[in-house]
Amino acid sequence: MFDNIWLIPLFPLIGFLINGLGGKAIKEEKLIGGIGSLAVLGSFAVSCETLFGLLSLPAGERVHNVTLFTWIKAGTFQADVAFLIDPLSCVMLMVVTGVGFLIHLYSIGYMHGEEGFYRFFSYLNLFTFSMLLLVMGNNLLLMFVGWEGVGLCSYLLIGYYFHKKSACDAGKKAFVMNRVGDFGFLLGIFTLYWYLGQNHGIWTIRFTDLASHAELLPVGGVVTLITLFFFLGATGKSAQIPLYTWLPDAMEGPTPVSALIHAATMVTAGVYMIARMNFLFIRAPETMLVVALVGGATALFAATIGTAQNDIKRVLAYSTVSQLGYMFLAMGVGAFSAGIFHLMTHAFFKACLFLGSGAVIHSMHYALHHAHSEDDPQDMRNMGGLKEQMPKTYWTFLVATIAIAGIPPFAGFFSKDEILWQAFSNPLHGKLNWLLWGCGAAAALLTAFYMFRLVFMTFHGQCRITPKAREHLHESPMVIVLPLIVLAFLSAVGGFFGMPKLFGVANMFEGFLAPVFNLSEEQMKAGHEIVQHSHQLEWGMMGMSIGIAAIGIVIAFIMYIKDTTLPGRFTTAFPVLHRLVYNKWYVDEIYDFLIVNPCKAFSRFLWKGFDVVVVDGLVNALATLVMGASRQLKNIQTGYVHNYALSMAIGVVVIVACYMFR
């Protein structure tokens, strides 16, 4: 039944090789884009077959390891190139290949005419291959290979416009900050492997083996250290405090990159890793609290920054950081299914939003270029009134915005409300539940506000570009619009897969993932007192979350539609607060002051103070000594035979004397 799953990563790998090696010779954009897109479509088709095959089995039999070949074998240690097929990996496969195909299709139109078109699609296919390795690998080492692969592709795609210094700097920043997190991931792997091997003689890194021996791991203690190491890796890849600053800068890459890597797939790798290691994290309550607090703080902190940004893609970037915080909040309170559910719904509406913003930027760039205007095509202050010129983009964007704001019955409502409820009612963190719920609720209010602020500034009101440029505004071609329509549809109906039991129906998504998380949930319930909350309270909390989102939307409407002077008056009344939020709380500047500049200064000292003065000085001094000695020795080379004969005679006398008087 699962014999063909090796085709899932193989198709994009073949696409990468064809476009990477022969794309420059092919030249035809439609053929290059078709090869890249069909490769991912093939992976999606096999993923669908795998999902249906899994659904046909009883819940207890939905875990399969498929080994291709032995990769590393040293003593008792063995790592295979093998894939783990279970409900969790299947969800990720559908997201990566399904959303990935739509973004590849969109890129054919969006990247038309770009230099290095073949290079872009080869990078996208390589990323897809690496991401599939990450989610399919049945052991930590293979997961880490995919983990590093998506990091490399992120660097290549963020810096795609390598002639721009800002893009190169953003790529390097992402690469370096991810390496910090990856160091923690490696420490977690090594420590876990060493502990189980030294103390229990179990030398393995296979997920199924680790899960079956989880009871050998003590609650707390060394497990807390191991999980904190893994969480450090997750904070880097999934842009959580303090390693989040790379993701907003990553918007320097083309918009499809933002949609695929920095919204729908790569940045969720940290969430997936914690979900995959749920049996480990549930045995470390201190780490779970850290994960929940960092997630809640990131959700709220990033949301505050999003309220004051004017670049359309940066608003969405900080929104992504905030929504990732929601997912980590879910992981930290033990709501693993809810976190993965939000991962899926977020992939739908955030990919739609990013691709929609790309359609807007595409049209604005075209209009401003033909009007010979130097205005920024990504600045929302230069937009307005685009609803009339881009109706399809507007309606799909609006659907995705309603979804992320948490308005029923759209997808984001069900996943976000479930996280808020679990944060409030979970048995892990006791009195801190109110704090965690408060962070999530405040972030939800700000999310609704800044997302509708974006919609109102971009699509409503008066068009703020010149009349000449306005004449060139147009709807995008169908190859761009079609993915938006599909993603908007999924943003509208995707939530029905995870409707809560409160509605009198079975939660299909939670039931599907049950084989992966059942043991952890049972352990969580066994170790803590479970408080049974009434349905009335749950209905009330749900109504409160809807009300919070509605308040955010109303505030945005009043400030950016009804009375457009209010934002300026607010800025004037609270200049310090606005400056702090607009400048992202000066976190980048603080990092530069505390870390980057001291590292640069120390490196400069090692270069000029040590390398140039000491190392080069010693080498140059030795060279000077040799040259000086050579100048003196050359004086004995006179060229006269009798001088050489005299030297030989003296040498013979000295040798004889040494022999006689020794």
Side-chain angles (χ1 to χ4, degrees), residues 605-648:
F605 164 74
L606 292 178
W607 166 39
K608 294 186 175 180
F610 185 77
D611 189 52
V612 174
V613 175
V614 179
V615 177
D616 289 355
L618 288 174
V619 173
N620 292 334
L622 180 61
T624 302
L625 178 63
V626 172
M627 290 178 64
S630 300
R631 290 192 189 97
Q632 297 303 318
L633 289 173
K634 75 177 182 178
N635 294 326
I636 67 175
Q637 302 297 321
T638 62
Y640 295 111
V641 175
H642 60 271
N643 285 347
Y644 297 148
L646 177 62
S647 299
M648 291 173 64

Coordinates of all heavy atoms in Angstrom, one line a residue, residues 605-648:
F605 N 39.5 43.3 15.4 CA 40.7 43.2 16.3 C 41.5 41.9 15.9 O 42.8 42.0 15.8 CB 40.4 43.1 17.7 CG 41.5 42.7 18.6 CD1 42.5 43.5 18.9 CD2 41.5 41.4 19.2 CE1 43.6 43.0 19.7 CE2 42.5 40.9 19.9 CZ 43.6 41.8 20.2
L606 N 40.9 40.8 15.7 CA 41.6 39.6 15.3 C 42.3 39.8 14.0 O 43.3 39.2 13.7 CB 40.6 38.4 15.3 CG 40.1 37.9 16.6 CD1 39.1 36.8 16.4 CD2 41.2 37.5 17.6
W607 N 41.6 40.5 13.1 CA 42.2 40.8 11.8 C 43.3 41.7 11.8 O 44.5 41.4 11.5 CB 41.1 41.3 10.9 CG 41.6 41.9 9.6 CD1 42.6 41.4 8.8 CD2 41.1 43.0 8.9 NE1 42.8 42.2 7.7 CE2 41.8 43.2 7.7 CE3 40.0 43.9 9.2 CZ2 41.6 44.3 6.8 CZ3 39.8 45.0 8.3 CH2 40.6 45.1 7.1
K608 N 43.1 43.0 12.3 CA 44.1 44.0 12.3 C 45.1 43.9 13.4 O 46.3 44.2 13.3 CB 43.4 45.4 12.3 CG 42.7 45.7 11.0 CD 42.2 47.1 11.0 CE 41.5 47.4 9.7 NZ 41.0 48.8 9.6
G609 N 44.5 43.5 14.6 CA 45.4 43.5 15.8 C 46.2 42.2 16.0 O 47.3 42.3 16.5
F610 N 45.7 41.1 15.5 CA 46.4 39.8 15.7 C 46.9 39.3 14.4 O 48.1 39.0 14.3 CB 45.4 38.8 16.4 CG 46.1 37.5 16.7 CD1 46.9 37.4 17.8 CD2 45.9 36.4 15.9 CE1 47.5 36.2 18.2 CE2 46.6 35.2 16.2 CZ 47.4 35.1 17.3
D611 N 46.0 39.2 13.4 CA 46.4 38.6 12.2 C 47.5 39.4 11.5 O 48.5 38.9 11.0 CB 45.2 38.4 11.2 CG 45.6 37.6 10.0 OD1 46.1 36.5 10.2 OD2 45.3 38.0 8.9
V612 N 47.2 40.7 11.3 CA 48.1 41.6 10.6 C 49.4 41.9 11.4 O 50.5 41.8 10.9 CB 47.4 43.0 10.3 CG1 48.4 43.9 9.7 CG2 46.3 42.7 9.3
V613 N 49.2 42.2 12.8 CA 50.4 42.6 13.6 C 51.2 41.4 14.0 O 52.4 41.3 13.8 CB 49.9 43.4 14.8 CG1 51.1 43.7 15.7 CG2 49.2 44.7 14.3
V614 N 50.5 40.4 14.6 CA 51.2 39.2 15.2 C 51.6 38.2 14.1 O 52.8 37.9 13.9 CB 50.4 38.6 16.3 CG1 51.2 37.4 16.9 CG2 50.1 39.6 17.4
V615 N 50.6 37.6 13.5 CA 50.9 36.6 12.5 C 51.7 37.1 11.3 O 52.8 36.5 11.0 CB 49.5 35.9 12.0 CG1 49.8 34.8 11.0 CG2 48.8 35.3 13.2
D616 N 51.1 38.1 10.7 CA 51.9 38.7 9.5 C 53.2 39.2 10.0 O 54.2 39.1 9.3 CB 51.1 39.7 8.8 CG 49.9 39.2 8.1 OD1 49.8 37.9 8.0 OD2 49.1 40.0 7.5
G617 N 53.2 39.8 11.2 CA 54.5 40.4 11.7 C 55.6 39.3 11.9 O 56.7 39.5 11.5
L618 N 55.2 38.2 12.5 CA 56.2 37.1 12.7 C 56.7 36.5 11.3 O 57.9 36.3 11.1 CB 55.6 36.0 13.5 CG 55.3 36.3 15.0 CD1 54.6 35.1 15.6 CD2 56.7 36.5 15.7
V619 N 55.7 36.3 10.4 CA 56.1 35.8 9.1 C 57.1 36.8 8.4 O 58.1 36.4 7.8 CB 54.9 35.5 8.2 CG1 55.3 35.2 6.8 CG2 54.1 34.4 8.8
N620 N 56.7 38.1 8.4 CA 57.5 39.1 7.8 C 58.9 39.3 8.5 O 59.9 39.5 7.8 CB 56.8 40.5 7.8 CG 55.6 40.5 6.9 OD1 55.5 39.7 5.9 ND2 54.6 41.3 7.2
A621 N 58.9 39.1 9.8 CA 60.2 39.2 10.5 C 61.1 38.1 10.1 O 62.3 38.3 9.9 CB 59.9 39.2 12.0
L622 N 60.5 36.9 10.0 CA 61.3 35.7 9.6 C 61.9 35.9 8.2 O 63.0 35.6 7.9 CB 60.5 34.4 9.7 CG 61.2 33.1 9.2 CD1 62.4 32.8 10.2 CD2 60.2 32.0 9.3
A623 N 61.0 36.5 7.3 CA 61.5 36.7 6.0 C 62.6 37.8 5.9 O 63.6 37.6 5.2 CB 60.3 37.2 5.1
T624 N 62.5 38.8 6.8 CA 63.5 39.8 6.8 C 64.8 39.3 7.3 O 65.9 39.6 6.8 CB 63.0 41.0 7.8 OG1 61.8 41.5 7.3 CG2 64.1 42.1 7.8
L625 N 64.7 38.4 8.4 CA 65.9 37.7 8.9 C 66.6 36.9 7.8 O 67.8 36.9 7.7 CB 65.5 36.9 10.1 CG 66.7 36.1 10.8 CD1 67.7 37.0 11.4 CD2 66.1 35.2 11.9
V626 N 65.8 36.1 7.1 CA 66.4 35.3 6.1 C 67.1 36.1 5.0 O 68.2 35.8 4.5 CB 65.3 34.4 5.5 CG1 65.9 33.6 4.2 CG2 64.9 33.4 6.5
M627 N 66.4 37.2 4.6 CA 66.9 38.1 3.6 C 68.2 38.8 4.0 O 69.2 38.9 3.3 CB 65.9 39.2 3.2 CG 64.7 38.6 2.4 SD 63.5 39.9 2.0 CE 64.4 41.0 1.0
G628 N 68.2 39.2 5.3 CA 69.5 39.8 5.9 C 70.6 38.8 5.9 O 71.8 39.2 5.5
A629 N 70.3 37.6 6.4 CA 71.4 36.6 6.4 C 71.9 36.3 5.0 O 73.1 36.1 4.8 CB 70.9 35.3 7.1
S630 N 70.9 36.3 4.0 CA 71.3 36.0 2.7 C 72.2 37.1 2.1 O 73.2 36.8 1.4 CB 70.1 35.9 1.8 OG 69.2 34.8 2.3
R631 N 71.9 38.3 2.5 CA 72.8 39.4 2.0 C 74.2 39.3 2.5 O 75.2 39.6 1.8 CB 72.2 40.7 2.4 CG 70.9 41.1 1.7 CD 70.6 42.6 2.0 NE 69.2 42.9 1.5 CZ 68.2 42.9 2.2 NH1 68.3 42.6 3.5 NH2 67.0 43.2 1.7
Q632 N 74.4 38.8 3.8 CA 75.7 38.6 4.3 C 76.4 37.4 3.7 O 77.6 37.5 3.4 CB 75.6 38.5 5.9 CG 75.0 39.7 6.6 CD 75.8 41.0 6.3 OE1 77.1 40.9 6.3 NE2 75.1 42.1 6.1
L633 N 75.7 36.4 3.5 CA 76.3 35.2 3.0 C 76.7 35.3 1.5 O 77.6 34.7 1.1 CB 75.3 34.0 3.1 CG 75.1 33.5 4.6 CD1 74.0 32.4 4.6 CD2 76.4 32.9 5.1
K634 N 76.0 36.2 0.8 CA 76.3 36.3 -0.6 C 77.7 36.9 -0.8 O 78.3 36.8 -1.9 CB 75.3 37.2 -1.3 CG 75.4 38.7 -1.0 CD 74.4 39.4 -1.8 CE 74.5 40.9 -1.6 NZ 73.5 41.7 -2.4
N635 N 78.3 37.6 0.3 CA 79.6 38.2 0.1 C 80.7 37.2 0.0 O 81.8 37.5 -0.5 CB 79.9 39.1 1.3 CG 78.9 40.3 1.4 OD1 78.5 40.8 0.3 ND2 78.5 40.8 2.5
I636 N 80.4 36.0 0.5 CA 81.5 35.0 0.4 C 81.5 34.3 -1.0 O 82.4 33.5 -1.3 CB 81.4 33.9 1.5 CG1 80.1 33.1 1.2 CG2 81.4 34.5 2.8 CD1 80.0 31.9 2.2
Q637 N 80.5 34.6 -1.8 CA 80.4 34.1 -3.2 C 81.1 35.1 -4.1 O 80.5 35.9 -4.8 CB 79.0 33.8 -3.6 CG 78.2 32.9 -2.7 CD 78.8 31.5 -2.7 OE1 79.2 31.0 -3.7 NE2 78.9 30.9 -1.5
T638 N 82.6 35.0 -4.2 CA 83.3 36.0 -4.9 C 83.5 35.6 -6.4 O 83.8 36.5 -7.2 CB 84.8 36.1 -4.3 OG1 85.4 34.8 -4.4 CG2 84.7 36.5 -2.8
G639 N 83.4 34.3 -6.7 CA 83.6 33.9 -8.1 C 85.1 33.5 -8.4 O 85.4 33.1 -9.5
Y640 N 86.1 33.7 -7.4 CA 87.5 33.4 -7.6 C 87.8 32.0 -7.1 O 87.5 31.6 -6.0 CB 88.4 34.4 -6.9 CG 88.3 35.8 -7.4 CD1 87.7 36.8 -6.7 CD2 88.7 36.1 -8.7 CE1 87.6 38.1 -7.1 CE2 88.6 37.4 -9.2 CZ 88.0 38.4 -8.4 OH 87.9 39.6 -8.9
V641 N 88.5 31.2 -8.0 CA 88.8 29.8 -7.7 C 89.7 29.7 -6.4 O 89.5 28.8 -5.6 CB 89.4 29.1 -8.9 CG1 89.8 27.6 -8.5 CG2 88.4 29.1 -10.1
H642 N 90.7 30.6 -6.3 CA 91.6 30.5 -5.2 C 90.9 30.7 -3.9 O 91.3 30.2 -2.8 CB 92.8 31.4 -5.4 CG 92.4 32.9 -5.5 ND1 92.1 33.5 -6.7 CD2 92.3 33.8 -4.5 CE1 91.8 34.8 -6.5 NE2 91.9 35.0 -5.1
N643 N 89.9 31.6 -3.9 CA 89.1 31.8 -2.6 C 88.4 30.5 -2.2 O 88.3 30.2 -1.0 CB 88.1 32.9 -2.8 CG 88.8 34.3 -2.8 OD1 90.0 34.4 -2.4 ND2 88.1 35.3 -3.2
Y644 N 87.8 29.8 -3.2 CA 87.1 28.6 -2.9 C 88.0 27.5 -2.4 O 87.7 26.7 -1.5 CB 86.3 28.1 -4.1 CG 85.2 29.1 -4.6 CD1 84.9 29.2 -5.9 CD2 84.5 29.9 -3.7 CE1 83.9 30.1 -6.4 CE2 83.6 30.8 -4.1 CZ 83.2 30.9 -5.4 OH 82.3 31.8 -5.8
A645 N 89.3 27.5 -3.1 CA 90.3 26.5 -2.6 C 90.7 26.8 -1.2 O 90.9 25.8 -0.4 CB 91.5 26.6 -3.6
L646 N 90.9 28.1 -0.9 CA 91.3 28.4 0.5 C 90.2 28.0 1.5 O 90.5 27.4 2.6 CB 91.5 29.9 0.6 CG 91.9 30.5 2.0 CD1 93.2 29.8 2.5 CD2 92.0 32.0 2.0
S647 N 88.9 28.2 1.1 CA 87.8 27.8 2.0 C 87.8 26.3 2.2 O 87.6 25.8 3.3 CB 86.5 28.2 1.4 OG 86.4 29.6 1.2
M648 N 88.1 25.5 1.1 CA 88.1 24.1 1.2 C 89.2 23.6 2.1 O 89.1 22.7 3.0 CB 88.2 23.5 -0.1 CG 87.0 23.6 -1.0 SD 87.2 23.1 -2.7 CE 87.5 21.3 -2.4

